Each structure stands twice: as structure tokens, then as C-alpha cells.
Amino acid sequence: MMCASVKYSSRGPALIPRMKTKHRIYYITLFSVVLLGLIATGMFQFWPHSIESSTEWTLDRRSVHDAPLVKLPVSSPIPERGDLSCRMHTCFDVYRCGYNPKNRIKVYIYPLQRFVDEVGVPISSTGLSREYNDLLSAISDSDFYTDDVTRACLFVPSIDVLNQNSLRIRETAQALAMLPRWDKGMNHLLFNMLPGGPPDYNTALDVPRDRALLAGGGFSTWTYRQGYDVSIPVYSPLSAEVDLPEKQPGPRRFFILSSQTAIHREYRIQLERLKEENGEALLLLDKCSNLSQGVASARKRCYKGQVYDYPQILQESSFCVVLRGARLGQATLSDVLQAGCVPVIMADSYILPFSEVLDWKRASVVIPEEKLPEMYTILKSIPHRQVEEMQRQARWFWDAYFRSMKAIGLTTLQIINDRIYPYAARTYEQWNNPPVVKWSSVNSPLFLPLIPPRSPGFTAVVLTYDRVESLFRVITEISKVPSLAKLLVVWNNQNKSPPEESLWPKVAVPLKVVRTKENKLSNRFFPFDEIETEAVLAIDDDIIMLTSDELQFGYEVWREFPDRLVGYPGRLHLWDHEMGKWKYESEWTNEVSMVLTGAAFYHKYFNHLYTYKMPGDIKNWVDAHMNCEDIAMNFLVANITGKAPIKVTPRKKFKCPECTAIDGLSLDQTHMVERRCDE
């Protein structure tokens, strides 16, 4: 037997011949050269070629201390004071924004730089504040942001001018003028919340800024350039420190509360007089002078030695006073809104935050300063129901637009965006109506295209009992509508069979009769399998006054508003403060809050919601009283979509004397009584 000897090393058998030393050195050198080449190539390819084309803005990557130092020569140019005549069509280049499918402006943030004068003194005593850092970070994380300066429509400097008190005015202006794309401030946006300084406290930023847009927190009617500048709130740091749970609207412990500590002496005297006249209905707070050491005075308010937690105490009042101080804009407004307290704003000439899009009449009471002595009488005249709506709206304004620097910054950009792309701008309702139901990623709960296609048409669902003659007349008239796809008759009489097939009107569309097991009004909203179209026309068997062209027009209106009820007879429901209950009106007025489903178009999806998702006690009441199914459907649609119905006006007045039946439900003497008593 022959054996081959195998040499072992400490690492195992030597199966591969050992490489010669000179060859090993050669390959190691070659590998090192290649590796260094790859690293160098990567660095040249991905390293920023200039400051302006650097990667996205973030404080984490480029801290204030590591930012490049830029010295400002004494002779550096200073921008002009600011053109009060500037408007979007004169001082803003909309062509920079161009067209894009998303109708969204692109915002570029300048890289961080530390500006100092020739002797090394910074232009700001505070540098970059936490609030401005939060704002820039929010913009950089939003869909508005771009790191490509050539695509930018709007430019935001990383120079913090939120608080004028911390700025050196001349040097800050010189720093702005040195920005690479400044171009006399064209398409530049500055954020400032505390303008002016002692003794006069100007209501706009004193830093010369050429044509730059200003998002300012204290504008007056004299300094605000309408349609150009944006009035923003003064951010309250307490928003981040204190979590106030939302309080249900309603009566509070105090009627009026004043919590500001730096009120002018004349206003303080007038408030004290109101306190004497109205007693405990008004709580007049001031700063505390006897707090223990270490207790934050900003979080406390006092009245005659009694200490209250601030801003928590604001939730204990229906109305909260917001008086002008040295500046028009006050952080107190944000605190009051967060507490769900209705702000009583007394600051003559003050431009309220985001007033370009927000309807402040729904969330506040604005009183001239000279009428301060009449404040109690004015507020007492507001109905309780309206006060509750204003409390709810005040809290929602804070949640949506005041809560954080992110909310303030993105709201500002959205307002500017709406100016540049007005055809895609948010509507009044979108700005001012709290969302009732939040749906993910879509606005319409029906997941429909903007306008449903015309081709499928609609299905007419006729609820009937035994009024055969009027039923046939309704079928004959509906069959003339060009967009009718199918007729579905819901036969609600279990004691009588429907007419024979030969007796029914001859129509050009499919006609189906469905017999129900029980006589219920809710049967008209059952999601029958026979309904294959998106649109449904619910119509009573005695509605013979509507012509085919009126019905066709109603369908065309529904196609534009497929998530709403679109009907013909309108009704009004309102709260009767004297009686303390809801009131239902069937008289013809100029006000409409619902449309009757005796003749109305809607999406078939609501049949499913009515049958399977609506609370059972509502349906049981409707079926037991044979009444109010149309009110229930109106409330259902409004609750789901947050939108009102749409009334289509027919040529003739829609009234019961034109109905053919003499035994209809609506002619019953108890019909209107039950509808008025429904609460």
C-alpha cells in the first residue's frame, strides 16, 4: 500500500501551493491601488461641488458650530427697506414655479452659515433658535422641499429672524443681501413672530428686506401687504410643554377670564370695573408675586393670593380676553385656542393669523378697544349654541394651524401655494370645516373618480304600497330620462300582490319588482342586488310633477357631487332656543339643511351604510313610526362626508297639493308632529 504524506499547518492541510513572496507583494499592491481608486472616484462623484448644491438641509448633518463662517464687510450692500406696494403679480416671479402635475411649489432652504461682522461678532445674539430649527426641519421633511436650487420656486434663508430683539438689524440685512439667489428678495420668504422693538414696537420686521415675502406675527392694517405677506400666529412654547386634553364644549365655571400679565394700566382699570360689576362671572388674573423659589412664574397666575395653573385655568372659562400688548400679536391667543376658550380679541388694526383663509367669526369675538367696558353685555347676547360651536372651532383651529412650528410653517406654504395654483387651491370648507371622518389617503369616502362616467346611468328605486295608478304615471315619466338604466319597484304590501306583468307600462329599460317581507320604510334603502349602477334615484310613487329633463339635470348635478345627496324638495331643521329642542320646517324659505329622499339622487354605498352600519335604534324608530327615514339618511350622509346636501330647483313649486294620492303618509295629521318631536 502506498501512502502520500500530507503536510499540516496550524490552519489545516496545505492543499494549495504557497504563493511566492514577490508575487504576493505585487497582488497586494495592485489591490490597494484599485481600492484607493474606487474610494477617490466615489468621493469626487458624491461630495458636494458647492455649498449651494449641497444635500438636503438638516441640522444633524451641519450643526451651527460646524457651519461655515462668513464675514460681512462693513461696505456690504444693504437691501431696501421693503416695498409696501408689493403684490404677487409685481414682486414675485411665478414663472420660477412653472407647471407640475402635483400643483405644488418647491421650496429650497439655504445651507447653514454663521454670519459675523469684521471683528467676529455674530449678527444674532441667539444664533439658530429651537423654534426656527423646528420650522426648517418641518419644511425639509415636507413635499414642498427640494434640494435642487434650480427647481426652487421659493427660497427660505437659514438666517433666524423670528425674534427681532436678538438681531443686529443692519448686519442681518447685509447677510440677506449676500445670499447667492437673493435678487432683491424676489421669491424669498422670511418668518418673523416678534417684530419691532422699544419704544415704538413696529408691527413688521424692521430688517430691510427688499421684495421678500414676510410671514409675520404682528401685522397691522398699515404694514400688511394683502395677498402678499402672510399673517402668522405668535408661537407659544407652552404648546410643547403642556398637554391640555380637549374639553367638551359647554358652560364653564367662569364666563370671562383675563390671564395676561403685561396689560396696559388703562385696560387693567377697565377690567377691574367689569369685575366689580359682574362679580364671579369674570376672573381677572395677574402675575404671582409670592411664589416659592423654583416655581416657574410663566406657568402660574394669581388673583388675591390664590394661585392658578396656567394655561389649565383657561379651560374653566367660556370666553378669554386677548388684549394687545406692546406688540399686536400675542402668544396668549394660541394658549386660549388650545384650551377651547373663545378668544375675545381687542387689538385694533390687528391682522389675525391666517385670516386670508380662516373665518375667525366662527372661532372668536373681535371687539374694538373702545368698547371694552361693554364687553360683558356683548358676550351675553351670543346664544349658548353658538358659543359651543365657537369653542369647538377654536380648539380645532389650534389643532390644525397653531399646534407647532411645523403646523405654522406648512400652513404658510400652503397659502402661498394656493395663490400660485388657484385652480387647485383648498376651498373655504377645507380650511374651516373640521373633518368629521378621517379617511386614509382619499377625500371621498366613496373612492370615486372626480366625476363618475355618464354611461352606467342610474337606477330608479320606487317605493310603493298599492297606489298603482300614480305608480304607473311615475314609471312612465321616469322612463323618458335618457340616463335611466333600470327601474326597481319595491312592493311594500304583503297583503296584496303587484299587478300582472301585462298591465305594467312598456318601458325601454329593465323593470324589476321586488316584494318585501315586511312593510318598512327602511326597505327603500336596502342594498338590493338588482342595483348595479353607482347612482340611485329614490322616488316616491306619487311624485309626478318632475319632468324627464328635470330628473336628467338632477343626475348631471349628482355626477359632479357623487358623495352628496342631490334632491328636489328641501327642508330646514334648526335649534329652537326658547323651546330648548330641534325644530323642523317644511315652509318654503331661502334656507335648506336637508333634501327629502322622496326625490333624490345618492350613491348606492349609502344603502349599505344605512342598512348595516347605522345604529339599530334609529332604524327601529323609523320603521315603528313609518316616518323620518329621509331625515335619517340626510344625517347619515352628512355625518360620513361632512358635506351638506344639494337642492335642485324644479320648474314647479314642489308641494303636496300636486301629489295625486289622498292617503299618503305626509297627509297624516301626526306626520309633522312626529317629525318636530324627533330629537
Side-chain angles (χ1 to χ4, degrees), residues 58 104 128 151 192 227 291 397 404 409 484 490 511 542 566 589 591 607 629 634 636 669 675:
T58 166
R104 184 178 294 117
L128 189 72
R151 295 180 57 209
N192 169 253
L291 292 177
F397 271 7
S404 62
L484 178 68
V490 180
L511 191 156
D542 59 350
V566 177
T589 66
E591 296 178 318
N607 280 343
E629 85 288 357
N634 272 268
L636 171 70
Q669 295 296 319
R675 293 171 82 85

Side-chain angles (χ1 to χ4, degrees), residues 153-394:
C153 164
L154 194 63
F155 301 87
V156 176
S158 55
I159 302 171
D160 185 355
V161 296
L162 283 179
N163 185 355
Q164 183 177 313
N165 290 342
S166 65
L167 302 177
R168 299 170 65 191
I169 303 300
R170 175 188 174 88
E171 287 75 9
T172 303
Q174 290 175 322
L176 291 174
M178 287 189 66
L179 296 174
R181 303 260 173 171
W182 180 248
D183 190 22
K184 293 189 178 295
M186 187 81 75
N187 292 44
H188 280 67
L189 174 64
L190 305 178
F191 287 88
N192 169 253
M193 290 184 174
L194 299 178
D200 54 350
Y201 287 99
N202 191 7
T203 57
L205 181 67
D206 285 325
V207 175
R209 56 188 183 276
D210 280 331
R211 299 178 177 179
L213 289 87
L214 182 61
F219 281 120
S220 72
T221 53
W222 297 99
T223 55
Y224 177 65
R225 296 172 291 184
Q226 189 172 7
Y228 192 68
D229 293 324
V230 180
S231 181
I232 63 175
V234 178
Y235 176 69
S236 173
L238 291 178
S239 300
E241 299 173 7
V242 181
D243 181 22
L244 286 183
E246 186 171 357
K247 189 170 184 177
Q248 288 299 315
R252 306 283 169 86
R253 177 182 172 188
F254 303 104
F255 185 62
I256 303 174
L257 186 147
S258 173
S259 63
Q260 292 169 276
T261 58
I263 298 178
H264 191 277
R265 183 173 178 273
E266 182 180 343
Y267 296 145
R268 175 72 64 179
I269 293 173
Q270 292 179 344
L271 287 172
E272 288 174 350
R273 287 176 185 166
L274 282 174
K275 171 68 176 174
E276 293 174 1
E277 295 170 1
N278 301 286
E280 294 184 357
L282 193 151
L283 180 62
L284 181 56
L285 300 176
D286 202 349
K287 61 183 177 181
C288 301
S289 57
N290 56 348
L291 292 177
S292 303
Q293 189 174 1
V295 177
S297 59
R299 298 284 301 278
K300 301 293 179 181
R301 295 290 187 274
C302 289
Y303 174 70
K304 291 186 176 180
Q306 187 172 357
V307 181
Y308 296 90
D309 291 328
Y310 183 88
Q312 290 86 344
I313 185 59
L314 298 175
Q315 290 192 309
E316 300 301 320
S317 181
S318 297
F319 294 95
C320 294
V321 177
V322 181
L323 274 163
R324 68 177 301 158
R327 294 182 173 92
L328 282 177
Q330 297 290 312
T332 306
L333 177 59
S334 181
D335 296 336
V336 167
L337 294 175
Q338 182 183 12
C341 184
V342 179
V344 182
I345 302 170
M346 285 175 279
D348 293 351
S349 78
Y350 177 41
I351 302 297
L352 289 169
F354 304 132
S355 55
E356 183 176 337
V357 294
L358 299 188
D359 187 350
W360 280 98
K361 295 190 298 295
R362 297 174 58 174
S364 69
V365 180
V366 179
I367 299 177
E369 294 173 26
E370 65 178 13
K371 291 187 178 293
L372 176 55
E374 305 171 35
M375 174 177 64
Y376 187 85
T377 305
I378 293 172
L379 299 181
K380 269 297 182 181
S381 66
I382 302 176
H384 297 297
R385 179 79 176 188
Q386 184 177 347
V387 173
E388 292 180 4
E389 290 297 328
M390 295 170 79
Q391 289 172 335
R392 187 178 294 108
Q393 190 75 1

Side-chain angles (χ1 to χ4, degrees), residues 552-593:
Q552 178 66 27
F553 177 70
Y555 171 65
E556 297 294 344
V557 173
W558 176 86
R559 290 183 64 243
E560 295 190 35
F561 305 96
D563 54 352
R564 301 201 196 191
L565 271 174
V566 177
Y568 298 87
R571 294 292 185 266
L572 176 67
H573 74 290
L574 64 162
W575 182 255
D576 191 327
H577 292 284
E578 295 181 359
M579 300 296 293
K581 64 179 184 179
W582 288 101
K583 184 178 180 181
Y584 178 86
E585 290 288 353
S586 61
E587 297 299 324
W588 283 77
T589 66
N590 290 329
E591 296 178 318
V592 174
S593 63

Side-chain angles (χ1 to χ4, degrees), residues 500-573:
E500 296 180 4
E501 183 179 349
S502 60
L503 300 177
W504 289 79
K506 300 299 185 289
V507 295
V509 298
L511 191 156
K512 175 76 174 180
V513 179
V514 177
R515 299 188 65 176
T516 60
K517 296 180 180 180
E518 295 181 75
N519 182 19
K520 295 181 178 180
L521 274 181
S522 296
N523 289 335
R524 76 183 314 158
F525 298 132
F526 188 83
F528 296 103
D529 293 337
E530 288 79 6
I531 302 177
E532 299 175 338
T533 59
E534 302 288 322
V536 176
L537 168 65
I539 189 165
D540 288 341
D541 59 3
D542 59 350
I543 305 298
I544 61 172
M545 71 290 298
L546 290 175
T547 62
S548 59
D549 60 326
E550 289 171 340
L551 290 170
Q552 178 66 27
F553 177 70
Y555 171 65
E556 297 294 344
V557 173
W558 176 86
R559 290 183 64 243
E560 295 190 35
F561 305 96
D563 54 352
R564 301 201 196 191
L565 271 174
V566 177
Y568 298 87
R571 294 292 185 266
L572 176 67
H573 74 290

